[in-house]
Amino acid sequence: MRLNFKHTIWASYIGYITQAIVNNLAPLLFLIFRDFLGIPLSKITLLITFNFLIQLTVDWLSSKFIDKIGYRKCIVFAHIFSAIGLILMALLPSIMKNAFFGLIIAVVFYAIGGGIIEVLISPIVEACPTDNKASAMSLLHSFYCWGCVGVIAISTLFIHFTGKENWMWLPILWSIVPIANAVLFTKVPINRLTENGEGMTASELFKDKIFWLFVLLMITAGASEQAMSQWASAFAEDGLKVSKAVGDLAGPCMFSILMGTARVISSKLSKRINIKTVMLLSGILCVLSYLLAALVKNSVLALIGCGLCGFSVGVMWPGSFSLASEHFPKGSTALFALLALAGDLGCMSGPTLVGEISKGNLRFGLLFAIIFPILLIISVLILGKAKRND
């Protein structure tokens, strides 16, 4: 069968599922790492920090090497690195004297893969000859959400039916996804956004004032999303006094489902709606959802606020990418790499600030978090008056 750009887009969808696997599998196994490997939680949580810092580093460096090496080689190697990292997660802790160091090595591999995937999947889809770029971008990013839901649900069922002692088979089974997708990416057609030497460089982007507005937009989009996503389960269980099962369902899982739903709806209606208007409405809804979660004492209404936040942030990240592509048609891979870096900074700073400001009272921290969607609203309003950079 002759593969076409529809297959390229499907491979890109699976690429985001791969990123969801490498970002969400380890946290599901934290308590197993503690109980079976004897690693204290204070050390285990460093795995998230390593994963994030490496992906930030890859975001920065990729703007310099991806265009030189080529899209196909980079995306194939990204999936191979992700698969190797998952396999090493299963193997190294049991064969190395220092199990924690074995996990760190695994994280290094899959974080490199995940970082390249995050940077490269969006420009690959943007370069495909599709009729509606905004629609394709929203639908693409929804697959990260479905990947998160799938990883949580399938991994939980696997551990429940096979037993915690067989946890090492889980990352090996999940590694099949990036391995298969690496093969697929060797076959599908891949276009470049710009020819060599035609795209804007990072230094050229830095000199453009509008680019820094997009940096702020991405930071606030990432912070608005993760400030609630990372704390939703803890807020539901501790602040609202609901059970852990309800907290988990009303937390990251429900958040991801509603965020993915918003992206699918946006992709279907993208021809009829103005993306800037949708971003503004999303920012307003996000502010209201944070206020609802933080100020209303009724547990049901507060949980609805958590869910509405997931729906409200769904369009922010892909919408920012789409608007940036419109303003910088010659932005090249450097644009997507630097925007991914800004978004990841927001994903790190949002939950960190909420945690620091909360001081044991998550309602107060979530109330502070309304600053992120407010700044996003201001950024979109300023962009509405900006001229496209040709």
Side-chain angles (χ1 to χ4, degrees), residues 228 250 254-255 258-259 262 281-282 284-290 292-293 301-314 316:
M228 179 65 80
M254 182 57 67
F255 188 95
L258 290 174
M259 184 165 65
L281 294 175
S282 295
I284 294 170
L285 181 59
C286 189
V287 171
L288 294 176
S289 67
Y290 271 106
L292 187 61
L301 291 177
L303 288 174
I304 290 174
C306 293
L308 280 177
C309 186
F311 188 82
S312 69
V313 301
M316 291 180 179

Side-chain angles (χ1 to χ4, degrees), residues 321-339:
F321 270 75
S322 295
L323 288 175
S325 296
E326 290 179 8
H327 277 267
F328 298 101
K330 294 183 179 180
S332 189
T333 314
L335 174 66
F336 287 90
L338 294 172
L339 291 181

Side-chain angles (χ1 to χ4, degrees), residues 11 50 133-134 155 192 225 230-231 261-262 302 311 330 335 360 381:
F50 270 90
K133 300 292 186 181
S155 298
R192 297 174 67 97
E225 176 185 321
Q230 293 294 309
W231 287 106
T261 300
F311 188 82
K330 294 183 179 180
L335 174 66
L381 288 173

Side-chain angles (χ1 to χ4, degrees), residues 32-219:
I32 290 178
F33 292 157
R34 182 194 65 185
D35 297 339
F36 284 83
L37 301 178
I39 305 173
L41 283 178
S42 58
K43 273 190 172 184
I44 291 173
T45 52
L46 289 175
L47 298 177
I48 295 294
T49 304
F50 270 90
N51 180 33
F52 191 79
L53 289 176
I54 291 171
Q55 290 202 37
L56 279 174
T57 304
V58 171
D59 289 345
W60 171 250
L61 294 177
S62 59
S63 65
K64 306 176 184 298
F65 69 77
I66 282 180
D67 281 327
K68 294 179 181 178
I69 298 175
Y71 284 6
R72 189 183 304 278
K73 289 181 181 178
C74 286
I75 198 63
V76 169
F77 277 114
H79 282 79
I80 292 173
F81 268 70
S82 298
I84 291 174
L86 291 170
I87 294 171
L88 292 180
M89 182 195 295
L91 300 180
L92 291 184
S94 61
I95 63 176
M96 295 184 66
K97 290 184 178 180
N98 189 327
F100 177 70
F101 188 64
L103 290 176
I104 289 293
I105 294 174
V107 169
V108 169
F109 274 90
Y110 70 61
I112 291 173
I116 297 174
I117 287 172
E118 181 182 29
V119 169
L120 200 46
I121 289 295
S122 290
I124 285 176
V125 171
E126 186 72 20
C128 289
T130 55
D131 295 331
N132 193 324
K133 300 292 186 181
S135 172
M137 195 63 69
S138 289
L139 192 59
L140 167 70
H141 284 263
S142 76
F143 274 83
Y144 180 81
C145 306
W146 309 134
C148 292
V149 174
V151 170
I152 294 170
I154 295 172
S155 298
T156 300
L157 289 173
F158 180 90
I159 294 297
H160 176 75
F161 286 107
T162 66
K164 294 180 180 180
E165 66 277 7
N166 291 311
W167 70 267
M168 70 288 300
W169 291 106
L170 191 57
I172 291 176
L173 290 173
W174 278 120
S175 71
I176 295 173
V177 176
I179 290 172
N181 213 35
V183 175
L184 183 56
F185 265 117
T186 64
K187 307 294 183 181
V188 297
I190 297 178
N191 281 347
R192 297 174 67 97
L193 279 176
T194 58
E195 295 300 323
N196 285 329
E198 291 185 0
M200 296 180 71
T201 64
S203 59
E204 290 173 332
L205 288 168
F206 290 153
K207 295 175 184 178
D208 194 303
K209 294 179 180 179
I210 299 297
F211 168 74
W212 291 105
L213 197 57
F214 278 109
V215 168
L216 178 60
L217 195 62
M218 287 298 298
I219 291 174

